[in-house]
Amino acid sequence: MYRLVSKNPNAFLKATVSVRTATQPLFASFSLANSIKPSLTSLFSSKIQKNLFSNSAIFSEYTATNKSDVIYTQPEHTSAEYVPVPFSNYTQINSKTMHAIKDVLRFKDASIVQDKIISELPSEQDFLIKAKTGTGKTIAFLVGAIETLVKYKASPSYNKDSMGILIISPTRELAKQIHQEAIKIAHYHKFGVHVLVGGESSRLQQHQINKEPLDIVVATPGRLLDIWENSNKFDRATKNLQVLVFDEADMLLDMGFQKEVARIIEQCPKERQNFLVSATFSRKVREIARQALAGKSFKELDCVDPNETNVVQRIKQSYIKINWDMHYFALHQILNSQIKKNIEETGNGSKIIIFLSSTKATQVYHDALQSFMSNRGMSVNLSYKNSRNSHKNSGNSRNLQVKNSTAIYCIHGKKTQEVRSRISDRFRNFNTSDGNSAILITTDISARGVDYPGTNFVLQVGAPSTTEQYTHRIGRTGRAGKSGEGMILISPAEMPFVRELEREQKLNLAESEEFNIEAVSNLEQALSVVNESSERNDGFGSDDNDNIDISSIDKNLLAEARNFYNRFRSYSASADTMEIEDMYISLLGHYQSLLGSFRLDPSKLVEDTSKSLIPFGIIDKPRLPSMLKASFSGNGKGFSGSRQRNRSDSRGSSRGGYNDSRESRGGSRGGYNDSKGSRDDGQYRSNDKSDFKNKSRSRSQYSSNDRTEFSYKSRDRGNSHSRQRGGSSRD
Ligand SMILES: Nc1ncnc2c1ncn2[C@@H]1O[C@H](COP(=O)(O)OP(=O)(O)OP(=O)(O)O)[C@@H](O)[C@H]1O
């Protein structure tokens, strides 16, 4: 009999986690309509809206106006984002707009935020708009702004050379998405609709500007100011600008666009309407509001109850407490489980987004996932229930032949705009109806505003920069009335983040039931067994090792671990050590900015995060750049075993795990955290904090020839299985 001996005490999760009750029960909301509580209705008596129906559910909804002129929508433990008012009931919308909503967008009922805006029309007022993620803010502000434009066009002061609506977006992806929505809703108006973003031909954009009226312009700040300076027609047109919109207003400031925002506001005419839009009203949104709406009264349309979270309630959310060295196998299990579950429930493949906090980590996780998740598809027989097709059959379930391939995509700020757009389009249009699935691995470049319809699962790897960012990331699923699920992988050192989520976002996250501490420990054991037997080279599960007791380990899990192990090993063996070390440093760069806000323990973070090196057999932590040292080595802990990378590490050419054709190689090594990589101001400005560029290193100096073989146990085995590079030094 085998007895499982953990030679790696850290490998087993010992910490206990209190399992709290989820406040976001899956599909909790679809009961409803019956239950508007009299006590609540009397609290909000001024304006009670009728209830209704949305795409997927029955909702109850009512709103109220209080004295401070802030309108709250009272969600009343429902996930209601739609009101029962069909668009056709709104008489205040221009008929051409209405026509487009019906025939081009094909929307039936208005969402709450849309109802809020439309109820105010016609209006020249300034609006500060807050509504939950994925609840249709884009169309809401477009409808409002277009009404103002239509009115202006009909007025005697109309000048055909003037600009109608200028919409500022923090990222190119979002700008292009808004542009597409604007084209649709402006269909019958025959407006000129433009998008000005970096990474694409400025000449072409200027050509368009000269050719067509500037009715609606969507732009990122950098390219906008660039064209503003260089195009007389554009400059003249802005003198009569009617409406200025800042979408994802706080992100503009988060990304360091303060100066650009200030310039844009300064250069616009004072007489205009303003819309400020976000799913979260941080201090920063109010900062823009102060600038843009200075001295003017504005109406705050807050569609989220102050006691509620900004995330739609039907998104089931949980955390998985797990060490970084277990991520890949856990991903293998989590993703396969999600895909299987979704196919069984709906007959469809999955659309999944995985968020990481640095470009380096995003690229590494993408490459790893390609090794063990992507496949060319196979036909499988599935018996599934509740499928959208099940009505075609007499029974509740039926056998179905589906293809079962998984495509893996990756977007981050170091990719060219052309590649970003292409991948974004592919993922957006990915068809899951034949059982195929798609996974997008991305940085926060895709966290805000970006709409990938049909995304049913969002997985966050590690804590994001703010609790608001968590809600924006989660908001990529559960959109437009659809259901969705979110999970976050959290290392023990990051647990304070989960508590902050509760405090700041009122999100009481529960531990995952399926991947709780015990389940994660099982994963670890199974992987250890496979790893052990692989190292003995005696075949998986053979009987001639008396150190391991595998009887308690589920046979299927062992088989899955072996399958994963074999596939992942082929990737890890060829991965570039320097890329992996850079990933580790970039992650610490990300955590550096969280230390204070989430009261994280620096030495614990270093220890936890360094486990990301283990699957690649890297034993010693690389030396940290001075910018990080100051934050992470204050007490001298956490650096035992740190090793300086130096020239003596060089052993010839790279193994080429990441070959140079990858976009991630293209740019500088600085600016690992690309929440700024999506800046669009003509050049990439790396944040000092995360710019750990070490120009003196050349890639070949850190070739991976000397990297160890894959081993989850390398920590325990010293050098016997892990060849350390020379030149190690403590930091
Ligand atoms: N009234 C409606 N009926 C059906 N679908 C709608 C409606 N309004 C918007 N949608 C769809 O809902 C999705 C989300 O809309 P949108 O991107 O505008 O959300 P958002 O509130 O801006 O989200 P985020 O906070 O993430 O920016 C889009 O696919 C959009 O086409």
Side-chain angles (χ1 to χ4, degrees), residues 54-55 79-82 107 110-114 130-140 174 177 181 247-248 277-280 304 310-312 314-315 447-453 471-483:
S54 114
N55 299 353
S79 63
E81 296 108 41
Y82 291 83
F107 294 163
S111 70
I112 289 172
V113 65
Q114 291 160 359
K130 177 185 174 190
K132 294 185 183 191
T133 52
T135 58
K137 291 186 285 294
T138 315
I139 290 300
L174 182 55
Q177 190 179 294
E181 295 273 284
D247 194 15
E248 299 293 347
V277 189
S278 183
T280 50
V304 186
N310 298 320
V311 180
V312 290
R314 63 174 167 272
I315 304 175
R448 294 215 187 186
V450 185
D451 189 46
Y452 291 119
T471 65
H472 286 285
R473 285 171 165 192
I474 278 289
R476 296 319 96 203
T477 185
R479 298 171 74 77
K482 302 256 167 36
S483 60

Tab-separated table of all heavy atoms in Angstrom, residues 54-55 79-82 107 110-114 130-140 174 177 181 247-248 277-280 304 310-312 314-315 447-453 471-483:
chain	number	residue	atom	x	y	z
A	54	SER	N	-38.706	41.100	-18.089
A	54	SER	CA	-37.505	41.368	-18.861
A	54	SER	C	-37.236	40.161	-19.721
A	54	SER	O	-38.005	39.254	-19.770
A	54	SER	CB	-36.338	41.604	-17.966
A	54	SER	OG	-35.417	40.592	-18.129
A	55	ASN	N	-36.134	40.175	-20.348
A	55	ASN	CA	-35.769	39.113	-21.275
A	55	ASN	C	-35.897	37.746	-20.643
A	55	ASN	O	-36.324	36.804	-21.232
A	55	ASN	CB	-34.312	39.271	-21.696
A	55	ASN	CG	-34.096	40.561	-22.390
A	55	ASN	OD1	-35.043	41.260	-22.661
A	55	ASN	ND2	-32.872	40.895	-22.680
A	79	SER	N	-32.931	40.858	-8.663
A	79	SER	CA	-31.875	41.260	-9.569
A	79	SER	C	-32.450	42.132	-10.673
A	79	SER	O	-31.919	42.219	-11.751
A	79	SER	CB	-31.239	40.026	-10.187
A	79	SER	OG	-32.215	39.365	-10.945
A	80	ALA	N	-33.518	42.746	-10.386
A	80	ALA	CA	-34.220	43.488	-11.427
A	80	ALA	C	-33.371	44.579	-12.030
A	80	ALA	O	-32.878	45.433	-11.334
A	80	ALA	CB	-35.464	44.102	-10.825
A	81	GLU	N	-33.184	44.500	-13.304
A	81	GLU	CA	-32.552	45.620	-13.988
A	81	GLU	C	-33.453	46.145	-15.086
A	81	GLU	O	-33.104	47.074	-15.769
A	81	GLU	CB	-31.238	45.189	-14.640
A	81	GLU	CG	-30.185	44.742	-13.679
A	81	GLU	CD	-30.000	43.245	-13.765
A	81	GLU	OE1	-30.009	42.733	-14.886
A	81	GLU	OE2	-29.887	42.610	-12.717
A	82	TYR	N	-34.559	45.499	-15.244
A	82	TYR	CA	-35.460	45.911	-16.309
A	82	TYR	C	-36.807	46.323	-15.745
A	82	TYR	O	-37.285	45.754	-14.777
A	82	TYR	CB	-35.644	44.780	-17.329
A	82	TYR	CG	-34.380	44.555	-18.095
A	82	TYR	CD1	-33.376	43.778	-17.567
A	82	TYR	CD2	-34.165	45.184	-19.310
A	82	TYR	CE1	-32.174	43.603	-18.236
A	82	TYR	CE2	-32.977	45.025	-19.991
A	82	TYR	CZ	-31.991	44.234	-19.445
A	82	TYR	OH	-30.810	44.077	-20.107
A	107	PHE	N	-34.395	45.673	-28.817
A	107	PHE	CA	-34.680	45.660	-27.382
A	107	PHE	C	-36.182	45.810	-27.178
A	107	PHE	O	-36.828	46.581	-27.875
A	107	PHE	CB	-33.979	46.812	-26.653
A	107	PHE	CG	-32.472	46.719	-26.637
A	107	PHE	CD1	-31.696	47.834	-26.336
A	107	PHE	CD2	-31.826	45.513	-26.906
A	107	PHE	CE1	-30.313	47.747	-26.315
A	107	PHE	CE2	-30.438	45.421	-26.888
A	107	PHE	CZ	-29.689	46.549	-26.591
A	110	ALA	N	-37.157	48.514	-21.393
A	110	ALA	CA	-36.033	49.360	-20.971
A	110	ALA	C	-35.438	48.828	-19.675
A	110	ALA	O	-36.149	48.288	-18.837
A	110	ALA	CB	-36.526	50.781	-20.748
A	111	SER	N	-34.142	48.991	-19.540
A	111	SER	CA	-33.532	48.664	-18.254
A	111	SER	C	-33.809	49.828	-17.307
A	111	SER	O	-34.258	50.902	-17.728
A	111	SER	CB	-32.033	48.431	-18.409
A	111	SER	OG	-31.387	49.643	-18.701
A	112	ILE	N	-33.517	49.615	-16.048
A	112	ILE	CA	-33.836	50.654	-15.064
A	112	ILE	C	-33.141	51.965	-15.405
A	112	ILE	O	-33.747	53.035	-15.392
A	112	ILE	CB	-33.393	50.198	-13.655
A	112	ILE	CG1	-34.317	49.082	-13.189
A	112	ILE	CG2	-33.459	51.356	-12.668
A	112	ILE	CD1	-33.852	48.433	-11.923
A	113	VAL	N	-31.852	51.857	-15.716
A	113	VAL	CA	-31.115	53.092	-15.961
A	113	VAL	C	-31.649	53.789	-17.221
A	113	VAL	O	-31.719	55.016	-17.301
A	113	VAL	CB	-29.584	52.830	-16.023
A	113	VAL	CG1	-29.197	51.954	-17.204
A	113	VAL	CG2	-28.806	54.133	-16.065
A	114	GLN	N	-32.063	52.984	-18.185
A	114	GLN	CA	-32.640	53.573	-19.398
A	114	GLN	C	-33.969	54.254	-19.074
A	114	GLN	O	-34.257	55.359	-19.543
A	114	GLN	CB	-32.818	52.474	-20.463
A	114	GLN	CG	-31.481	51.970	-20.993
A	114	GLN	CD	-31.543	50.602	-21.655
A	114	GLN	OE1	-32.598	49.971	-21.732
A	114	GLN	NE2	-30.398	50.142	-22.147
A	130	LYS	N	-25.287	56.299	-12.268
A	130	LYS	CA	-24.691	55.083	-11.699
A	130	LYS	C	-25.692	53.940	-11.797
A	130	LYS	O	-26.836	54.067	-11.376
A	130	LYS	CB	-24.335	55.321	-10.238
A	130	LYS	CG	-23.765	54.098	-9.538
A	130	LYS	CD	-23.563	54.391	-8.062
A	130	LYS	CE	-23.127	53.147	-7.316
A	130	LYS	NZ	-23.150	53.351	-5.866
A	131	ALA	N	-25.248	52.847	-12.396
A	131	ALA	CA	-26.111	51.658	-12.460
A	131	ALA	C	-25.233	50.431	-12.474
A	131	ALA	O	-24.058	50.500	-12.826
A	131	ALA	CB	-26.976	51.697	-13.716
A	132	LYS	N	-25.796	49.314	-12.086
A	132	LYS	CA	-25.018	48.088	-11.985
A	132	LYS	C	-24.401	47.711	-13.330
A	132	LYS	O	-24.917	48.094	-14.388
A	132	LYS	CB	-25.904	46.946	-11.478
A	132	LYS	CG	-26.360	47.169	-10.051
A	132	LYS	CD	-27.121	45.982	-9.516
A	132	LYS	CE	-27.622	46.302	-8.113
A	132	LYS	NZ	-28.155	45.131	-7.415
A	133	THR	N	-23.347	46.914	-13.251
A	133	THR	CA	-22.660	46.500	-14.479
A	133	THR	C	-23.614	45.720	-15.391
A	133	THR	O	-24.453	44.955	-14.914
A	133	THR	CB	-21.458	45.594	-14.151
A	133	THR	OG1	-21.913	44.536	-13.304
A	133	THR	CG2	-20.361	46.359	-13.457
A	134	GLY	N	-23.450	45.964	-16.677
A	134	GLY	CA	-24.201	45.185	-17.660
A	134	GLY	C	-25.679	45.483	-17.721
A	134	GLY	O	-26.462	44.666	-18.195
A	135	THR	N	-26.079	46.660	-17.245
A	135	THR	CA	-27.509	46.953	-17.225
A	135	THR	C	-27.916	48.012	-18.263
A	135	THR	O	-28.966	48.631	-18.136
A	135	THR	CB	-27.973	47.392	-15.820
A	135	THR	OG1	-27.228	48.548	-15.426
A	135	THR	CG2	-27.756	46.301	-14.801
A	136	GLY	N	-27.065	48.217	-19.252
A	136	GLY	CA	-27.477	49.039	-20.381
A	136	GLY	C	-27.241	50.536	-20.249
A	136	GLY	O	-28.003	51.348	-20.802
A	137	LYS	N	-26.142	50.909	-19.577
A	137	LYS	CA	-25.854	52.341	-19.426
A	137	LYS	C	-25.524	52.997	-20.768
A	137	LYS	O	-25.839	54.162	-20.985
A	137	LYS	CB	-24.671	52.541	-18.447
A	137	LYS	CG	-25.029	52.177	-17.012
A	137	LYS	CD	-23.937	52.507	-16.042
A	137	LYS	CE	-22.775	51.564	-16.076
A	137	LYS	NZ	-23.080	50.195	-15.646
A	138	THR	N	-24.906	52.231	-21.660
A	138	THR	CA	-24.500	52.825	-22.946
A	138	THR	C	-25.705	53.377	-23.707
A	138	THR	O	-25.716	54.529	-24.132
A	138	THR	CB	-23.775	51.773	-23.817
A	138	THR	OG1	-22.849	51.069	-22.993
A	138	THR	CG2	-23.058	52.409	-24.980
A	139	ILE	N	-26.706	52.521	-23.861
A	139	ILE	CA	-27.895	52.976	-24.593
A	139	ILE	C	-28.596	54.077	-23.798
A	139	ILE	O	-29.152	55.031	-24.369
A	139	ILE	CB	-28.835	51.778	-24.887
A	139	ILE	CG1	-28.188	50.858	-25.924
A	139	ILE	CG2	-30.207	52.248	-25.372
A	139	ILE	CD1	-27.868	51.492	-27.272
A	140	ALA	N	-28.518	53.988	-22.477
A	140	ALA	CA	-29.166	55.018	-21.648
A	140	ALA	C	-28.605	56.400	-21.965
A	140	ALA	O	-29.349	57.332	-22.276
A	140	ALA	CB	-28.972	54.690	-20.163
A	174	LEU	N	-13.439	49.776	-25.264
A	174	LEU	CA	-14.732	50.329	-24.884
A	174	LEU	C	-15.184	51.379	-25.902
A	174	LEU	O	-16.359	51.431	-26.279
A	174	LEU	CB	-14.649	50.932	-23.473
A	174	LEU	CG	-15.950	51.502	-22.914
A	174	LEU	CD1	-17.073	50.484	-22.942
A	174	LEU	CD2	-15.746	52.013	-21.485
A	177	GLN	N	-16.629	49.697	-28.820
A	177	GLN	CA	-17.930	49.103	-28.491
A	177	GLN	C	-19.034	50.163	-28.465
A	177	GLN	O	-20.118	49.960	-29.007
A	177	GLN	CB	-17.783	48.448	-27.130
A	177	GLN	CG	-18.933	47.592	-26.728
A	177	GLN	CD	-18.639	46.979	-25.366
A	177	GLN	OE1	-17.734	46.165	-25.222
A	177	GLN	NE2	-19.373	47.379	-24.355
A	181	GLU	N	-22.503	50.587	-30.819
A	181	GLU	CA	-23.859	50.815	-30.293
A	181	GLU	C	-24.422	52.118	-30.860
A	181	GLU	O	-25.598	52.213	-31.191
A	181	GLU	CB	-23.843	50.901	-28.762
A	181	GLU	CG	-23.448	49.622	-28.065
A	181	GLU	CD	-24.609	48.667	-27.816
A	181	GLU	OE1	-25.403	48.918	-26.908
A	181	GLU	OE2	-24.701	47.671	-28.554
A	247	ASP	N	-17.599	58.217	-20.134
A	247	ASP	CA	-18.023	56.877	-19.724
A	247	ASP	C	-16.918	56.259	-18.877
A	247	ASP	O	-15.742	56.511	-19.109
A	247	ASP	CB	-18.294	56.004	-20.956
A	247	ASP	CG	-19.063	54.736	-20.595
A	247	ASP	OD1	-19.627	54.670	-19.484
A	247	ASP	OD2	-19.096	53.805	-21.411
A	248	GLU	N	-17.297	55.437	-17.912
A	248	GLU	CA	-16.344	54.860	-16.953
A	248	GLU	C	-15.441	55.972	-16.427
A	248	GLU	O	-14.211	55.902	-16.468
A	248	GLU	CB	-15.506	53.747	-17.618
A	248	GLU	CG	-16.311	52.585	-18.127
A	248	GLU	CD	-16.985	51.770	-17.023
A	248	GLU	OE1	-16.640	51.961	-15.854
A	248	GLU	OE2	-17.884	50.987	-17.354
A	277	VAL	N	-20.785	58.753	-16.375
A	277	VAL	CA	-21.382	57.428	-16.238
A	277	VAL	C	-20.408	56.446	-15.608
A	277	VAL	O	-19.226	56.407	-15.983
A	277	VAL	CB	-21.769	56.892	-17.643
A	277	VAL	CG1	-22.594	55.624	-17.522
A	277	VAL	CG2	-22.516	57.941	-18.450
A	278	SER	N	-20.881	55.653	-14.674
A	278	SER	CA	-20.039	54.593	-14.108
A	278	SER	C	-20.911	53.616	-13.323
A	278	SER	O	-22.019	53.944	-12.916
A	278	SER	CB	-18.982	55.191	-13.187
A	278	SER	OG	-18.142	54.158	-12.698
A	279	ALA	N	-20.365	52.396	-13.127
A	279	ALA	CA	-21.082	51.450	-12.262
A	279	ALA	C	-20.734	51.734	-10.810
A	279	ALA	O	-21.396	51.257	-9.901
A	279	ALA	CB	-20.707	50.013	-12.617
A	280	THR	N	-19.665	52.475	-10.604
A	280	THR	CA	-19.252	52.817	-9.239
A	280	THR	C	-19.026	54.320	-9.159
A	280	THR	O	-18.474	54.914	-10.078
A	280	THR	CB	-17.947	52.084	-8.880
A	280	THR	OG1	-16.985	52.288	-9.915
A	280	THR	CG2	-18.178	50.600	-8.696
A	304	VAL	N	-28.567	52.197	-7.944
A	304	VAL	CA	-28.187	51.156	-6.991
A	304	VAL	C	-28.532	51.636	-5.596
A	304	VAL	O	-28.110	52.719	-5.183
A	304	VAL	CB	-26.669	50.866	-7.071
A	304	VAL	CG1	-26.326	49.680	-6.170
A	304	VAL	CG2	-26.240	50.597	-8.499
A	310	ASN	N	-22.934	46.755	-6.168
A	310	ASN	CA	-23.061	47.204	-7.565
A	310	ASN	C	-23.172	46.043	-8.548
A	310	ASN	O	-23.282	46.251	-9.744
A	310	ASN	CB	-21.842	48.038	-7.965
A	310	ASN	CG	-21.724	49.276	-7.122
A	310	ASN	OD1	-22.726	49.910	-6.821
A	310	ASN	ND2	-20.524	49.606	-6.714
A	311	VAL	N	-23.055	44.847	-8.006
A	311	VAL	CA	-23.087	43.678	-8.880
A	311	VAL	C	-24.505	43.137	-8.935
A	311	VAL	O	-25.182	43.072	-7.910
A	311	VAL	CB	-22.161	42.570	-8.330
A	311	VAL	CG1	-22.176	41.350	-9.233
A	311	VAL	CG2	-20.758	43.100	-8.171
A	312	VAL	N	-24.932	42.748	-10.113
A	312	VAL	CA	-26.293	42.209	-10.191
A	312	VAL	C	-26.362	40.935	-9.354
A	312	VAL	O	-25.432	40.142	-9.328
A	312	VAL	CB	-26.738	41.939	-11.653
A	312	VAL	CG1	-26.935	43.234	-12.397
A	312	VAL	CG2	-25.766	41.058	-12.377
A	314	ARG	N	-27.948	38.172	-9.417
A	314	ARG	CA	-28.050	36.782	-9.859
A	314	ARG	C	-26.681	36.171	-10.161
A	314	ARG	O	-26.591	34.996	-10.489
A	314	ARG	CB	-28.953	36.687	-11.088
A	314	ARG	CG	-28.384	37.424	-12.227
A	314	ARG	CD	-29.173	37.251	-13.508
A	314	ARG	NE	-28.658	38.258	-14.403
A	314	ARG	CZ	-29.126	39.464	-14.457
A	314	ARG	NH1	-30.144	39.814	-13.730
A	314	ARG	NH2	-28.574	40.348	-15.253
A	315	ILE	N	-25.609	36.956	-10.088
A	315	ILE	CA	-24.285	36.369	-10.311
A	315	ILE	C	-23.841	35.665	-9.027
A	315	ILE	O	-23.608	36.298	-8.005
A	315	ILE	CB	-23.241	37.440	-10.704
A	315	ILE	CG1	-23.698	38.227	-11.924
A	315	ILE	CG2	-21.897	36.782	-10.964
A	315	ILE	CD1	-22.780	39.374	-12.304
A	447	ALA	N	-11.788	44.842	-18.139
A	447	ALA	CA	-12.614	44.772	-16.932
A	447	ALA	C	-13.807	45.713	-16.957
A	447	ALA	O	-14.817	45.446	-16.332
A	447	ALA	CB	-11.770	45.058	-15.697
A	448	ARG	N	-13.674	46.820	-17.654
A	448	ARG	CA	-14.740	47.826	-17.538
A	448	ARG	C	-15.455	48.081	-18.849
A	448	ARG	O	-14.813	48.283	-19.875
A	448	ARG	CB	-14.135	49.142	-17.072
A	448	ARG	CG	-13.593	49.032	-15.685
A	448	ARG	CD	-13.791	50.312	-14.981
A	448	ARG	NE	-13.135	50.279	-13.705
A	448	ARG	CZ	-13.236	51.246	-12.823
A	448	ARG	NH1	-13.941	52.316	-13.098
A	448	ARG	NH2	-12.623	51.157	-11.679
A	449	GLY	N	-16.728	48.061	-18.740
A	449	GLY	CA	-17.524	48.496	-19.886
A	449	GLY	C	-17.593	47.500	-21.015
A	449	GLY	O	-18.550	47.480	-21.771
A	450	VAL	N	-16.580	46.648	-21.141
A	450	VAL	CA	-16.522	45.794	-22.324
A	450	VAL	C	-17.615	44.725	-22.246
A	450	VAL	O	-17.807	44.091	-21.215
A	450	VAL	CB	-15.134	45.131	-22.452
A	450	VAL	CG1	-15.041	44.360	-23.740
A	450	VAL	CG2	-14.046	46.187	-22.377
A	451	ASP	N	-18.290	44.560	-23.338
A	451	ASP	CA	-19.454	43.672	-23.375
A	451	ASP	C	-19.154	42.455	-24.244
A	451	ASP	O	-18.982	42.584	-25.453
A	451	ASP	CB	-20.643	44.466	-23.952
A	451	ASP	CG	-21.949	43.709	-23.824
A	451	ASP	OD1	-22.211	43.175	-22.730
A	451	ASP	OD2	-22.693	43.650	-24.818
A	452	TYR	N	-19.057	41.308	-23.619
A	452	TYR	CA	-18.906	40.062	-24.362
A	452	TYR	C	-20.159	39.230	-24.080
A	452	TYR	O	-20.189	38.430	-23.135
A	452	TYR	CB	-17.653	39.299	-23.920
A	452	TYR	CG	-16.353	39.963	-24.322
A	452	TYR	CD1	-15.429	40.386	-23.374
A	452	TYR	CD2	-16.038	40.173	-25.670
A	452	TYR	CE1	-14.239	40.986	-23.741
A	452	TYR	CE2	-14.855	40.780	-26.053
A	452	TYR	CZ	-13.957	41.185	-25.079
A	452	TYR	OH	-12.786	41.778	-25.451
A	453	PRO	N	-21.185	39.435	-24.880
A	453	PRO	CA	-22.450	38.756	-24.599
A	453	PRO	C	-22.264	37.249	-24.461
A	453	PRO	O	-21.488	36.647	-25.194
A	453	PRO	CB	-23.316	39.100	-25.808
A	453	PRO	CG	-22.726	40.353	-26.359
A	453	PRO	CD	-21.255	40.264	-26.094
A	471	THR	N	-15.857	44.372	-8.737
A	471	THR	CA	-17.245	44.388	-9.220
A	471	THR	C	-17.303	44.622	-10.735
A	471	THR	O	-18.149	44.066	-11.415
A	471	THR	CB	-18.101	45.461	-8.503
A	471	THR	OG1	-17.608	46.750	-8.840
A	471	THR	CG2	-18.086	45.288	-7.003
A	472	HIS	N	-16.377	45.426	-11.241
A	472	HIS	CA	-16.379	45.635	-12.693
A	472	HIS	C	-16.020	44.335	-13.419
A	472	HIS	O	-16.601	43.995	-14.439
A	472	HIS	CB	-15.394	46.735	-13.078
A	472	HIS	CG	-15.888	48.106	-12.737
A	472	HIS	ND1	-16.868	48.744	-13.456
A	472	HIS	CD2	-15.546	48.960	-11.746
A	472	HIS	CE1	-17.108	49.932	-12.924
A	472	HIS	NE2	-16.315	50.089	-11.885
A	473	ARG	N	-15.005	43.629	-12.870
A	473	ARG	CA	-14.606	42.367	-13.505
A	473	ARG	C	-15.776	41.367	-13.479
A	473	ARG	O	-16.109	40.762	-14.502
A	473	ARG	CB	-13.421	41.759	-12.751
A	473	ARG	CG	-12.089	42.446	-13.003
A	473	ARG	CD	-11.081	41.873	-12.031
A	473	ARG	NE	-9.701	42.167	-12.347
A	473	ARG	CZ	-8.676	41.560	-11.743
A	473	ARG	NH1	-8.897	40.655	-10.815
A	473	ARG	NH2	-7.438	41.875	-12.076
A	474	ILE	N	-16.360	41.214	-12.319
A	474	ILE	CA	-17.481	40.279	-12.184
A	474	ILE	C	-18.609	40.669	-13.147
A	474	ILE	O	-19.315	39.819	-13.683
A	474	ILE	CB	-18.011	40.307	-10.719
A	474	ILE	CG1	-17.151	39.421	-9.840
A	474	ILE	CG2	-19.470	39.877	-10.614
A	474	ILE	CD1	-17.331	37.938	-10.093
A	475	GLY	N	-18.735	41.961	-13.362
A	475	GLY	CA	-19.808	42.472	-14.215
A	475	GLY	C	-19.681	42.099	-15.681
A	475	GLY	O	-20.545	42.426	-16.490
A	476	ARG	N	-18.617	41.382	-16.036
A	476	ARG	CA	-18.533	40.927	-17.436
A	476	ARG	C	-19.463	39.730	-17.660
A	476	ARG	O	-19.667	39.307	-18.795
A	476	ARG	CB	-17.099	40.519	-17.819
A	476	ARG	CG	-16.032	41.601	-17.812
A	476	ARG	CD	-16.471	42.908	-18.373
A	476	ARG	NE	-16.904	43.808	-17.339
A	476	ARG	CZ	-17.724	44.839	-17.521
A	476	ARG	NH1	-18.229	45.094	-18.700
A	476	ARG	NH2	-18.066	45.624	-16.524
A	477	THR	N	-19.978	39.162	-16.574
A	477	THR	CA	-20.977	38.096	-16.739
A	477	THR	C	-22.299	38.600	-16.166
A	477	THR	O	-22.362	39.689	-15.591
A	477	THR	CB	-20.524	36.787	-16.053
A	477	THR	OG1	-21.474	35.756	-16.339
A	477	THR	CG2	-20.389	36.942	-14.544
A	478	GLY	N	-23.332	37.836	-16.329
A	478	GLY	CA	-24.638	38.224	-15.794
A	478	GLY	C	-25.152	39.504	-16.419
A	478	GLY	O	-25.833	40.287	-15.761
A	479	ARG	N	-24.859	39.715	-17.683
A	479	ARG	CA	-25.265	40.960	-18.339
A	479	ARG	C	-26.587	40.793	-19.089
A	479	ARG	O	-26.957	39.699	-19.477
A	479	ARG	CB	-24.164	41.417	-19.310
A	479	ARG	CG	-22.855	41.709	-18.598
A	479	ARG	CD	-21.722	41.953	-19.581
A	479	ARG	NE	-21.810	43.254	-20.232
A	479	ARG	CZ	-21.473	44.398	-19.665
A	479	ARG	NH1	-21.054	44.404	-18.411
A	479	ARG	NH2	-21.554	45.538	-20.323
A	480	ALA	N	-27.223	41.911	-19.258
A	480	ALA	CA	-28.469	41.958	-20.034
A	480	ALA	C	-29.474	40.907	-19.585
A	480	ALA	O	-30.087	40.224	-20.391
A	480	ALA	CB	-28.163	41.809	-21.536
A	481	GLY	N	-29.602	40.750	-18.280
A	481	GLY	CA	-30.622	39.845	-17.741
A	481	GLY	C	-30.242	38.387	-17.724
A	481	GLY	O	-31.026	37.542	-17.326
A	482	LYS	N	-29.003	38.098	-18.155
A	482	LYS	CA	-28.584	36.691	-18.192
A	482	LYS	C	-27.959	36.290	-16.854
A	482	LYS	O	-27.535	37.129	-16.071
A	482	LYS	CB	-27.552	36.502	-19.307
A	482	LYS	CG	-28.055	36.904	-20.678
A	482	LYS	CD	-28.394	35.678	-21.489
A	482	LYS	CE	-29.181	35.946	-22.743
A	482	LYS	NZ	-28.897	37.150	-23.476
A	483	SER	N	-27.855	34.977	-16.646
A	483	SER	CA	-27.232	34.518	-15.409
A	483	SER	C	-25.723	34.414	-15.597
A	483	SER	O	-25.217	34.495	-16.714
A	483	SER	CB	-27.807	33.161	-15.006
A	483	SER	OG	-27.545	32.236	-16.029
